[in-house]
Amino acid sequence: MNNVTKITVIEDNEAVKDGLALIIGSQQRFRVVNTYTNCMDALKNLRKDAPELVLIDLELPGMHGIEGIKRILRERSSTTILVISVHEDSKLVFEALCAGASGYLTKDTDHIRLLNAIDEVLTGGAPMSSKIASLVVKSFQRNLNSPLSDRETDVLTLLAKGKTYHSIADELFISVETVKTHIRNIYQKLHVTNKTEALKKAVKDKLI
Amino acid sequence: MNNVTKITVIEDNEAVKDGLALIIGSQQRFRVVNTYTNCMDALKNLRKDAPELVLIDLELPGMHGIEGIKRILRERSSTTILVISVHEDSKLVFEALCAGASGYLTKDTDHIRLLNAIDEVLTGGAPMSSKIASLVVKSFQRNLNSPLSDRETDVLTLLAKGKTYHSIADELFISVETVKTHIRNIYQKLHVTNKTEALKKAVKDKLI
DNA sequence: CAAAAAACACCATTTTGGGGGGATGCGCCG
DNA sequence: CGGCGCATCCCCCCAAAATGGTGTTTTTTG
């Protein structure tokens, strides 16, 4: 078995692209098989390059990096994807991770950290720059100042799973009427009038 | 302003507890104000200790660490919580993060990494051991072998948000009847007969 | 072509939201 | 202490909306 890891780089800024290739190529354990400035070219040669790891930027001309990630994984699901982007806004971060990226670095990552991150992601880790990790962790945390009572939160949580009043009642060992009361109170507290709005607000404010 | 960070340690194994205190105390920028072997004692002195950071184990005698995290944050929401646990199973990790922990280290973390993690978590980061970060990132990733078509996935996603057939139709610019057709096909493909089951299965298999 | 997506109709049944009213227990405040 | 607010729980009624279970058909797209 060959223990050199084949890597491709997709980055539209030529200088950055070549810089990355140089840093990675300086290591005997890595081999940069190709570099691209857009996703289309990278996808065309995906089979031929057969990279174990793809280092990808997100804001790319033509196909966006997020779409690129999806297509790469559709073609070669064994490929590991590591994002390097200037963006630290949560939407893009989550889209990239949902699309299948295994790690997310910001572009201020220095050489040593970059190489460490590559090693880490190749051994099953998920390297993330500090701010990114923080965003990700925060996404799990509930709003601690919820206006809802514990029981109301229970009900809303089950409602969000598509349960009917009846099954919620069964699950919480209360009557359907009580469920209705809770839901009415929830609607009042959230200033909404129906399930859809309530769930939208609940998701937005991380109440459940 | 005082630039020494006050830290408390909650860890039932005395040797480990003292070891952690020693490592942390060796740094001038940190001060271990107190150490505890259970949550109750730590909570009693929380006001007095006024720690900026709490290093906490999860499997503790009496009150579990997860519950401890919640109570600490209820008392002093400005406190930063860093978990150190032997457990790498996803349930506990997500419970800890949902409860409000800002980072999660496994106990095999060495001294240098521990101190780095403390610095990182205090500056708004979210330090995680490699396997933990990987678990967290994987939790975002969809099942890539979904039996559902793109459009069916769209419909199911909106259904999961509590939207009505009508609002789904509006949102996707299709008729309500088409929505119904898609849902019918979804039920068939997932071998379920109703919305609740479909959503349960979809969440479990990460189809949405 | 076959699969996917989209659309229309009919109909019984469920779910839902909104309106009442009422009971209990618990903690807090004056 | 007694009252007040809050959370929790339960019951009735009703009409509108949503759902699911059947059909069938057309268009698009790989």
Side-chain angles (χ1 to χ4, degrees), chain B residues 1-9 24-25 27-36 45-55 72 76 78-82 118 121-122:
Chain B
M1 177 176 159
N2 191 343
N3 57 2
V4 171
T5 303
K6 288 190 283 180
I7 300 177
T8 63
V9 177
I24 300 165
Q27 306 294 309
Q28 309 92 310
R29 64 190 182 287
F30 302 141
R31 188 156 63 85
V32 179
V33 287
N34 244 324
T35 67
Y36 302 94
N45 296 317
L46 190 59
R47 290 286 163 85
K48 190 149 43 94
D49 291 341
E52 273 100 64
L53 176 70
V54 175
L55 217 66
I72 289 168
R76 285 189 88 247
S78 65
T79 314
T80 302
I81 310 266
L82 184 53
I118 293 177
V121 79
L122 288 171

Side-chain angles (χ1 to χ4, degrees), chain A residues 149 151 174-175 177-178 180-182 189:
Chain A
S149 71
R151 204 56 165 169
I174 57 181
S175 95
E177 297 302 324
T178 307
K180 285 174 68 173
T181 305
H182 285 311
K189 288 185 181 178

Side-chain angles (χ1 to χ4, degrees), chain B residues 8 27 44 62 73 82 90 99 105 109 138 170 195 205 207:
Chain B
T8 63
Q27 306 294 309
K44 272 181 209 142
L73 289 173
L82 184 53
S90 57
L105 305 178
T109 306
K138 282 204 184 92
D170 283 355
K195 193 167 60 162
D205 295 353
L207 302 178

